[in-house]
Amino acid sequence: MNHAQCITILGSTGSIGTSTLDVLARHPDQYRIHALTASSQVNLMLSQCARFSPEVAVMAQEDAGRLLAEKVKAEGLPVRVLWGAQALDEVASAPQVDAVMAAIVGAAGLSPCLAAARSGKRLMLANKEALVVGADVFLEAVRAGGALLLPIDSEHSAIFQSLPEDPSTWQRRVQKIILTASGGPFRARDPQTLRHVTPEEACAHPNWVMGRKISVDSATMMNKALEVIEAHYLFGMSPEQLEVVIHPQSVIHSMVQYRDHSVVAQLGTPDMRVPIAYGLSWPERITSGAQALDFHALSAMTFEAMDQADHLLRFPGIQLAWETLRGAPGSCAVLNASNEVAVDAFLSKRIRFDQIQDVNRATLDSMSFSAPTGLEALLALDASSRSQAEQSILKMR
């Protein structure tokens, strides 16, 4: 790298954001931070400002922004504090910014992702919603702005690392993409007992340290359904070319099977700093801080088919990925919004764990919609889907 890259981190207080800061701290001569953003964790943002000295700190909520501004001033930190959706777009598209880590969870991250794409940034995508909700609108912004789109999800980063460098050859050379899934905390649990799952149990992932929402998605396998949708848009593969296999050890992060039936896979310890470091440095590689994989300590690597009868009972939502990809335009956005509402309802103990997919199915069946053509239409579809999901929840109580 010829100069220090200037970075904005959207969602710096989440698990991806804090891991990104850990990687950046290992390479102070190669990166500098323009902006950090967060939703409501004022004290953590304050400590990040004190340690990493961003030029700007943005809070999504006004009350959190005003409180942070007071604390930054009291500490004498030379950080400009902003708040609101417009400020998020501004720091994502600022002319001095080279790269953006997009790690805001949910549809709230869609607008700044679009702003970064239109501005031609190196866009490190850890926000599934940009593709699951934004789909063609987002990809058109990437093309129009000349942005470099780099996947950060461990599975999609693994696929990207396993594909040929020239995307124009992917369709000719690749037979299918195989996404691996750990199976989460309930891979071997009796499906009949899932109605009794507590939020604490669902958030206890056996391999990964993640936020509560994505931990629940892993427990239901909805994270994998969303990743299948994301892989379709990222790599241009048809639904028939996308497969999921359960790999409990989380050592192989995903695979690409070629036309000659050879398989290329990416392996590593389950640590998000690895794909983050790759996204930051591509096409080079930098140290991530993750432990090296010790093959001598690996007792076994096992795989299980997703279509086993028990797995289909445990994870009924996984099939929604292929159904929505083949469904009406906008179906994926509806699924994503409904799932966010359903997971929140489960975490707040308004519905049972096994009712999450009932909400998603009922919402999809109740909605009528057309393909969104821009950000306003996407947000409107997201809002109406959430409203319908709430109605579905009320009918279950």
Side-chain angles (χ1 to χ4, degrees):
M1 299 178 186
N2 297 323
H3 70 284
Q5 281 195 64
C6 185
I7 309 289
T8 283
I9 302 177
L10 302 171
S12 66
T13 58
S15 59
I16 297 294
T18 54
S19 292
T20 301
L21 288 170
D22 182 88
V23 175
L24 293 177
R26 299 169 190 276
H27 306 277
D29 296 334
Q30 293 180 258
Y31 303 96
R32 62 186 179 88
I33 298 173
H34 170 66
L36 301 177
T37 86
S39 176
S40 58
Q41 295 193 61
V42 172
N43 289 334
L44 180 51
M45 174 60 85
L46 181 66
S47 66
Q48 290 180 346
C49 288
R51 181 180 178 189
F52 295 99
S53 302
E55 297 174 41
V56 186
V58 179
M59 302 302 293
Q61 307 300 323
E62 180 177 352
D63 56 348
R66 292 189 181 279
L67 180 58
L68 178 65
E70 292 175 6
K71 290 177 176 284
V72 163
K73 183 178 180 181
E75 295 287 334
L77 300 175
V79 178
R80 186 161 56 102
V81 178
L82 304 172
W83 53 82
Q86 183 175 344
L88 290 172
D89 290 355
E90 287 176 3
V91 297
S93 59
Q96 64 268 47
V97 170
D98 300 302
V100 174
M101 172 60 74
I104 296 177
V105 175
L110 183 56
S111 182
C113 277
L114 284 167
R118 294 188 187 109
S119 302
K121 307 302 184 189
R122 173 190 284 253
L123 181 51
M124 297 168 283
L125 193 65
N127 171 290
K128 288 181 175 64
E129 290 73 22
L131 283 165
V132 176
V133 178
D136 294 332
V137 173
F138 175 68
L139 291 176
E140 177 54 34
V142 170
R143 286 188 289 268
L148 173 61
L149 187 60
L150 296 168
I152 298 301
D153 273 355
S154 60
E155 294 82 1
H156 300 102
S157 176
I159 294 163
F160 183 65
Q161 294 180 57
S162 302
L163 284 167
E165 288 189 8
D166 183 0
S168 68
T169 69
W170 291 352
Q171 279 296 334
R172 185 177 76 248
R173 300 170 67 182
V174 173
Q175 186 174 61
K176 65 180 177 179
I177 283 171
I178 305 167
L179 292 100
T180 57
S182 69
F186 308 134
R187 177 183 63 84
R189 182 159 171 163
D190 182 350
Q192 302 302 318
T193 69
L194 292 177
R195 64 184 289 116
H196 305 300
V197 165
T198 67
E200 292 70 28
E201 290 175 312
C203 291
H205 195 282
N207 298 338
W208 297 91
V209 177
M210 304 181 292
R212 283 167 65 79
K213 194 269 182 183
I214 193 170
S215 294
V216 174
D217 281 347
S218 179
T220 63
M221 289 278 278
M222 270 305 299
N223 70 321
K224 209 54 53 178
L226 297 175
E227 286 167 13
V228 167
I229 295 168
E230 193 177 1
H232 165 73
Y233 289 109
L234 272 172
F235 307 116
M237 300 293 162
S238 69
E240 293 74 24
Q241 290 177 286
L242 301 170
E243 182 181 326
V244 173
V245 64
I246 291 182
H247 168 51
Q249 295 79 23
S250 295
V251 171
I252 296 176
H253 297 302
S254 277
M255 300 170 271
V256 175
Q257 181 171 302
Y258 286 85
R259 298 287 180 183
D260 60 1
H261 288 177
S262 63
V263 176
V264 176
Q266 187 263 337
L267 287 70
T269 52
D271 189 322
M272 284 306 299
R273 290 177 296 178
V274 175
I276 288 168
Y278 188 67
L280 284 166
S281 61
W282 182 90
E284 304 298 328
R285 290 185 184 264
I286 58 174
T287 56
S288 66
Q291 288 187 342
L293 190 62
D294 183 358
F295 285 93
H296 299 288
L298 288 177
S299 58
M301 288 195 291
T302 61
F303 304 89
E304 301 166 14
M306 265 307 306
D307 59 2
Q308 292 180 15
D310 279 359
H311 286 333
L312 292 177
L313 291 173
R314 289 185 188 98
F315 311 118
I318 188 70
Q319 294 302 323
L320 292 175
W322 289 271
E323 290 182 28
T324 53
L325 282 174
R326 297 184 180 111
S331 297
C332 298
V334 174
L335 174 61
N336 177 78
S338 174
N339 185 64
E340 284 192 22
V341 171
V343 170
D344 181 72
F346 164 68
L347 288 171
S348 59
K349 300 183 178 180
R350 295 166 54 208
I351 62 172
R352 301 191 310 267
F353 179 81
D354 64 325
Q355 291 179 312
I356 292 174
Q357 299 311 327
D358 294 336
V359 173
N360 292 336
R361 174 69 69 183
T363 303
L364 282 165
D365 291 344
S366 301
M367 293 286 293
S368 59
F369 43 86
S370 56
T373 56
L375 178 59
E376 288 188 7
L378 287 169
L379 295 178
L381 178 58
D382 181 78
S384 61
S385 302
R386 291 171 188 275
S387 177
Q388 184 58 55
E390 289 288 359
Q391 293 300 312
S392 299
I393 289 169
L394 289 174
K395 294 176 182 178
M396 294 178 183
R397 300 179 68 185

